[in-house]
Amino acid sequence: MLGEVTAAIAQKSFGKYRPIAELGRGGMATVYLAAATGPAGFSKLVVFKQLQAELANDPEFRDMFLDEARLAARLNHPHIVQTYEVADDDGQFLIVMEYLEGQPFSSVRLRLQKENRLDVADQVRVLVDLLDGLHAAHELKDYDGTPLNVVHRDVSPHNVFVTYTGDVKVVDFGIAKATTSSSKTRTGIIKGKLSYMAPEQAFGRAIDRRADLFAVGIMLWEALCKRRMWKNMPDQGIMHVLSTGEIPRVQEFAADLDPILERVCVRSLAAHAEDRYATALEMRAELLSYLEAHQLRPDPREFGERVGLAFAKERTKIQAVIEAQMRLASTLSETAYAANALPQIDVLVVTGTNAPHTGSYASEGSATHASGARPIVAPEQKKRLPIVLIVVVAIIVLVTVVVLVMKGDKLGVAPVASSPTAPHDTASAIVAPVPPTASPSATAITTAIPSTAKPKPQQIAKPIAKPSATPAPTLDIRMTR
């Protein structure tokens, strides 16, 4: 649960930064809430991200971490988390950022949706600010004016932060790509969350800023449909849908769809990048036109207050931890303070962790799907895969052989000698293509076993009894997923 506080290992200070609590831990870095101390009792809360000690000497991870640091230090925009500095404390690299009091948008939309206190206009306003921040990153230039061609590559509700004053911030440029990056993504490595990934990114092709706009399009789709786009679909299913370009149509899942929002959603989710918006600013202007057309003016401060009330319990817990730790820091020496266990606050502030999708709109908790919403089914759930056909054929052939043997015993027929030139009529009849059924959740195959050919006289060990008039049995094998 957000705001849960547990004990962790003790942590020493890093220069002027004294850790107060651990906020999150990913595969590459750990994020701490810390107090920056100075002369005359100066103290300021900050967040710093520290590269894992065991990775500090690995050139690949060190380059990735420093790439993020260099890029983050260059980004200066109201809708991007502010980076103060990059510090090196005895070989331990830190990225020091502003402390944001609030919650990730993934948690905000879940909590407010459950309370029925989140409407489309609120979410459109969040996306407008998100696009503003992304455009600033996309347009970033080097000191000589050369475009850096920044792509965030991990745009999702988890990496959009909403403060208790209603500010919206893009966070975690940990896997962002720029032309100045020294680290290179290895072939076969996909970075980002598949559930918010553009087709070209999912398949390792060249990407640009329009891949980020596809992710924003998914967030808009989910706001309109009140559910996750890839609900209950495994990664293989998502990859297959992306490969076919059959992106779920918002018109099939959203009720009372506004034509402007429909147009924005369809264009931003185009399978081919050239069919999407060229810039985040262009997409942002269309969303603003929706708010203006309906005279909607969502108040950021009121929205922030609403978020604060929804997370009042978590906010109180975090504040209590900060106050207790600050008291300890002011009364204990640095050595004595470091000997105390550092509390662990389970709240994603700027963790840099990539939470896997779980399929539902309420992936961080209980389900809050729209009533009667039907699931999106991957094409391979509608059509039989080759491997399924192979298994079905094998089962049918095996059952056919067993039935024939049993029937032969009943009729007193001796085993038939195998012939290298005998045609396999039974097998060819079984593997004939079967069209897909209308139901995506179950497939049914009904195969009639053809009657056996009349055996040759020289192969008969004893007289054949008169065959029964009973028709050949029919096998009805059903598979459900």
Side-chain angles (χ1 to χ4, degrees):
M1 174 184 288
L2 293 173
E4 191 69 22
V5 180
T6 57
I9 60 172
Q11 183 59 267
K12 72 181 186 68
S13 296
F14 295 92
K16 63 181 179 181
Y17 300 108
R18 178 171 289 190
I20 292 176
E22 181 180 310
L23 296 178
R25 184 182 295 269
M28 182 176 169
T30 304
V31 180
Y32 297 95
L33 175 61
T37 58
F42 172 83
S43 181
K44 179 180 178 65
L45 289 176
V46 297
V47 169
F48 72 77
K49 180 185 290 188
Q50 177 191 13
L51 184 63
Q52 302 283 18
E54 60 270 20
L55 301 178
N57 294 323
D58 187 311
E60 180 182 0
F61 285 100
R62 187 173 62 247
D63 288 347
M64 288 173 58
F65 190 80
L66 293 178
D67 280 343
E68 176 188 1
R70 283 188 288 266
L71 176 60
R74 297 284 304 277
L75 295 169
N76 185 15
H77 189 271
H79 296 304
I80 298 178
V81 63
Q82 182 68 49
T83 297
Y84 294 141
E85 69 169 331
V86 179
D88 180 4
D89 183 73
D90 195 22
Q92 291 290 312
F93 294 104
L94 313 175
I95 303 177
V96 185
M97 299 164 282
E98 65 177 318
Y99 169 58
L100 300 174
E101 248 199 306
Q103 297 291 333
F105 186 54
S106 55
S107 302
V108 169
R109 72 176 189 178
L110 168 62
R111 183 71 60 87
L112 294 185
Q113 186 77 20
K114 288 174 65 176
E115 299 174 356
N116 198 27
R117 300 182 62 197
L118 183 66
D119 56 31
V120 171
D122 291 323
Q123 297 184 73
V124 168
R125 202 273 305 178
V126 170
L127 297 183
V128 164
D129 290 348
L130 164 61
L131 288 165
D132 199 19
L134 285 176
H135 185 71
H138 294 160
E139 291 290 308
L140 190 65
K141 294 179 174 56
D142 209 346
Y143 294 112
D144 62 359
T146 305
L148 293 180
N149 300 318
V150 174
V151 185
H152 189 286
R153 295 202 294 183
D154 198 16
V155 175
S156 71
H158 306 80
N159 288 331
V160 178
F161 202 82
V162 180
T163 70
Y164 295 135
T165 56
D167 296 324
V168 175
K169 304 269 187 174
V170 185
V171 302
D172 197 2
F173 283 81
I175 65 169
K177 195 68 178 173
T179 53
T180 56
S181 298
S182 59
S183 61
K184 303 297 180 184
T185 301
R186 295 195 301 269
T187 302
I189 302 298
I190 299 176
K191 295 183 175 180
K193 298 179 184 68
L194 184 59
S195 49
Y196 292 92
M197 199 174 287
E200 64 271 21
Q201 183 179 352
F203 291 97
R205 298 193 290 266
I207 63 171
D208 57 25
R209 64 177 72 188
R210 292 171 294 186
D212 288 344
L213 303 188
F214 187 92
V216 180
I218 293 181
M219 292 175 65
L220 176 61
W221 189 101
E222 294 177 344
L224 299 175
C225 300
K226 296 183 174 64
R227 52 162 287 164
R228 290 289 296 272
M229 175 178 280
W230 306 116
K231 177 182 179 297
N232 296 332
M233 187 179 293
D235 288 349
Q236 301 94 318
I238 297 174
M239 293 287 284
H240 193 91
V241 174
L242 293 177
S243 71
T244 62
E246 298 177 1
I247 311 301
R249 300 174 71 248
V250 67
Q251 300 92 327
E252 298 180 6
F253 294 88
D256 302 324
L257 190 60
D258 181 86
I260 297 178
L261 295 182
E262 178 183 353
R263 182 173 67 246
V264 175
C265 199
V266 170
R267 185 174 177 185
S268 59
L269 291 176
H272 302 288
E274 58 268 21
D275 296 327
R276 298 176 207 145
Y277 293 98
T279 66
L281 203 62
E282 186 181 359
M283 183 176 177
R284 178 179 182 271
E286 284 248 57
L287 290 178
L288 283 174
S289 71
Y290 159 76
L291 296 177
E292 293 169 359
H294 295 276
Q295 297 183 339
L296 298 171
R297 297 176 179 82
D299 183 0
R301 184 166 293 278
E302 186 277 329
F303 183 65
E305 291 174 354
R306 205 185 319 157
V307 173
L309 289 174
F311 290 90
K313 187 180 296 184
E314 290 82 0
R315 191 177 185 183
T316 301
K317 286 183 179 180
I318 294 172
Q319 190 59 40
V321 170
I322 293 174
E323 292 176 1
Q325 290 296 102
M326 292 296 283
R327 281 196 302 268
L328 280 177
S330 63
T331 56
L332 299 178
S333 66
E334 183 175 333
T335 303
Y337 179 80
N340 284 276
L342 196 65
Q344 208 170 29
I345 304 176
D346 184 18
V347 53
L348 300 178
V349 177
V350 188
T351 66
T353 57
N354 290 333
H357 81 282
T358 58
S360 67
Y361 180 74
S363 65
E364 300 80 20
S366 58
T368 57
H369 316 310
S371 176
R374 61 184 180 84
I376 297 170
V377 183
E380 69 269 28
Q381 292 177 300
K382 299 177 181 177
K383 302 176 182 179
R384 297 175 179 84
L385 293 175
I387 187 65
V388 176
L389 277 176
I390 293 173
V391 173
V392 171
V393 170
I395 293 173
I396 295 176
V397 170
L398 178 62
V399 174
T400 302
V401 171
V402 172
V403 172
L404 289 176
V405 171
M406 294 176 63
K407 187 176 181 67
D409 291 342
K410 181 178 179 181
L411 298 176
V413 180
V416 179
S418 62
S419 172
T421 60
H424 298 280
D425 294 335
T426 301
S428 62
I430 292 173
V431 297
V434 183
T437 62
S439 172
S441 60
T443 53
I445 301 177
T446 302
T447 306
I449 303 174
S451 59
T452 57
K454 183 177 181 181
K456 296 180 180 180
Q458 66 270 23
Q459 295 174 329
I460 301 176
K462 55 183 179 179
I464 304 176
K466 185 178 181 180
S468 170
T470 303
T474 298
L475 303 181
D476 187 3
I477 300 176
R478 299 182 183 273
M479 296 186 305
T480 58
R481 296 190 57 180

